[in-house]
């Protein structure tokens, strides 16, 4: 069974540009989460989808971040326009039903110059 | 709110040394507790978990016991190997809701030298 996959693995962009990150959860997992780790700090929650609905978006830093999960399968996280402080590693995770165990992808390393 | 505190790092050990990484938490109720590991160049992997007080999670020679009285979930291994070099994260899930977000500690980098 394939795990959680993320694309791209790395992205280097300039301040003001737009970047879109993609996450494909484990097949059949209805819960999808986005997290972010800024250099040397905690991994912080961004938002949680249940199927295509946003269950909790309390961790989204501002309106430059837009997450979607059309059809309840893969998800995208768009940052527009990117700022220097958006640099970090963006992790996606998925889980099934009421399970508390989340399975993480390899992350996307974003560098904003 | 919920929080996780991990001991400061980094930690450097010689092969076959004993490892303890401290983790304490603050939460209302009884959260599930996790240790995740990130090996160099890879993503986060679930190492072990415990869902209720006095439970012991174990995997790959690592162990951690859910201690409600001290609100702790310390990670231990009796004899570390070079391949254990990684970043270790302690985390908890909100006990009030199923499938809720994880709250992580800052992570600690472990380096094991031959």
């Amino acid at each position: 069974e394939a795990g959680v996959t993320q694309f791209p693995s790395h992205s280097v962009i300039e301040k003001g540009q737009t970047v879109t990150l993609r996450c494909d959860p484990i097949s059949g997992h209805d819960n999808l989460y986005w997290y972010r780790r800024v250099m040397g700090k905690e991994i912080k929650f961004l938002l949680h989808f249940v199927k295509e609905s946003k269950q909790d978006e309390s961790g989204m830093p501002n309106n430059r971040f837009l997450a979607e999960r059309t059809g309840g399968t893969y998800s995208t996280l768009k940052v527009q326009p990117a700022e220097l402080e958006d640099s970090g590693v963006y992790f996606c995770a998925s889980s099934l039903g009421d399970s508390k165990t989340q399975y993480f992808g390899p992350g996307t390393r974003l560098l904003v110059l | 709110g919920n929080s996780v505190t991990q001991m400061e790092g980094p930690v450097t050990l010689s092969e076959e040394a004993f490892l303890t990484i401290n983790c304490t938490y603050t939460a209302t109720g009884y959260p599930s507790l996790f240790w995740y590991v990130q090996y160099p160049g890879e993503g986060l992997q679930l190492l072990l978990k415990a869902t209720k007080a006095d439970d012991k999670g174990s995997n790959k020679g690592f162990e951690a016991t859910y201690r409600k009285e001290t609100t702790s979930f310390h990670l231990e291994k009796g004899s570390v190997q070079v391949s254990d070099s990684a970043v270790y994260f302690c985390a908890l899930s909100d006990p009030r809701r199923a499938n809720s977000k994880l709250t992580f500690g800052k992570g600690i980098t472990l380096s094991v030298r031959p």
Side-chain angles (χ1 to χ4, degrees):
Chain A
E1 177 184 297
V4 177
T5 58
Q6 293 187 244
F7 182 84
S9 59
H10 296 78
S11 181
V12 181
I13 61 173
E14 293 188 350
K15 176 182 172 180
Q17 290 186 321
T18 298
V19 63
T20 300
L21 313 181
R22 173 171 169 146
C23 168
D24 287 77
I26 293 173
S27 178
H29 280 196
D30 44 355
N31 295 291
L32 188 150
Y33 309 81
W34 284 98
Y35 294 85
R36 176 175 73 170
R37 188 185 191 208
V38 173
M39 179 66 74
K41 298 195 174 180
E42 302 94 333
I43 299 170
K44 292 212 166 179
F45 167 79
L46 295 177
L47 86 159
H48 169 205
F49 284 98
V50 178
K51 297 182 182 177
E52 67 275 8
S53 299
K54 292 176 184 175
Q55 178 81 5
D56 180 357
E57 50 184 328
S58 61
M60 295 288 264
N62 51 61
N63 59 10
R64 295 185 294 103
F65 289 75
L66 175 64
E68 295 181 325
R69 193 184 182 195
T70 306
T73 54
Y74 72 91
S75 174
T76 58
L77 179 65
K78 181 191 290 188
V79 184
Q80 179 182 30
E83 298 290 345
L84 300 179
E85 64 265 24
D86 300 332
S87 297
V89 181
Y90 289 77
F91 291 104
C92 175
S94 71
S95 69
L96 180 63
D98 288 344
S99 172
K100 294 181 184 293
T101 300
Q102 297 181 20
Y103 298 90
F104 282 75
T108 294
R109 284 158 179 76
L110 174 65
L111 179 60
V112 182
L113 301 175
Chain B
N2 300 331
S3 67
V4 175
T5 302
Q6 290 185 234
M7 59 184 279
E8 294 289 326
V11 173
T12 301
L13 295 174
S14 297
E15 203 164 25
E16 299 184 1
F18 184 84
L19 169 71
T20 299
I21 300 177
N22 290 342
C23 172
T24 57
Y25 67 89
T26 301
T28 303
Y30 302 96
S32 292
L33 301 173
F34 306 84
W35 277 99
Y36 280 86
V37 58
Q38 184 177 22
Y39 297 104
E42 299 184 14
L44 285 170
Q45 300 177 23
L46 178 64
L47 180 59
L48 53 84
K49 67 178 181 181
T51 58
K52 61 183 186 295
D54 300 324
D55 267 2
K56 177 185 285 187
S58 61
N59 186 25
K60 299 182 180 181
F62 291 89
E63 293 184 341
T65 301
Y66 190 143
R67 301 287 188 199
K68 173 178 174 293
E69 63 277 12
T70 54
T71 60
S72 65
F73 193 53
H74 304 323
L75 183 68
E76 296 183 336
K77 187 173 185 180
S79 176
V80 294
Q81 305 300 311
V82 173
S83 57
D84 294 326
S85 299
V87 183
Y88 292 81
F89 295 91
C90 185
L92 65 81
S93 66
D94 190 326
R96 295 167 293 179
R97 290 169 52 184
N99 64 34
S100 66
K101 64 186 179 186
L102 294 174
T103 298
F104 284 87
K106 288 188 176 182
I108 187 169
T109 300
L110 170 66
S111 298
V112 181
R113 53 177 182 244

